[in-house]
Amino acid sequence: MPVQLAKSEPVLVQTQHLLLQLHQAVVHGKWLQVQALDRQIQQQVQQLKSQHNVASLSVELQMLTQRYQQLIQLAKKQQQLLELKMMQFQQNKAGVLAYRQTTDGTES
């Protein structure tokens, strides 16, 4: 879901592109890529703030910030879901091992 920017500042356009990549990385669970893109976005925003009149870009920055926060929330939800799946896997694994030991006639 791209953010529509009124101004076509190259840094704004590039940041929007990074946000789209971040969204795809989150959706596909590519966590190392999420981490790298997050750093790039933060650098872009810092560059934007240091090289431009921030007041003139306040609407665009607010839109980008809002989209960024939405993506971070999505990433946190995805991470929590993954943690839950891993816990369930570990519980199932323990159950399978216990069952295997019982059927093999061995005990711990």
Side-chain angles (χ1 to χ4, degrees), residues 28-39:
H28 296 299
K30 296 180 178 179
W31 302 113
L32 292 177
Q33 188 177 6
V34 167
Q35 207 172 29
L37 288 166
D38 182 48
R39 279 192 300 272

Side-chain angles (χ1 to χ4, degrees), residues 56-108:
S56 70
L57 300 174
S58 65
V59 172
E60 290 80 5
L61 281 171
Q62 184 178 6
M63 291 172 65
L64 288 172
T65 300
Q66 191 173 38
R67 182 65 181 136
Y68 175 76
Q69 289 172 345
Q70 290 171 346
L71 289 171
I72 294 302
Q73 290 302 316
L74 177 61
K76 286 179 182 179
K77 287 179 185 176
Q78 295 281 58
Q79 186 179 20
Q80 289 170 347
L81 187 64
L82 182 59
E83 287 173 2
L84 178 63
K85 286 181 181 181
M86 289 173 63
M87 284 176 32
Q88 290 172 339
F89 174 77
Q90 288 299 326
Q91 290 171 350
N92 290 341
K93 183 178 173 184
V96 167
L97 289 174
Y99 175 78
R100 185 176 289 160
Q101 287 176 345
T102 302
T103 58
D104 289 346
T106 59
E107 294 182 29
S108 306

Side-chain angles (χ1 to χ4, degrees), residues 1 4 13 40 61 65 70:
M1 164 181 342
Q4 296 301 318
V13 173
Q40 287 179 326
L61 281 171
T65 300
Q70 290 171 346

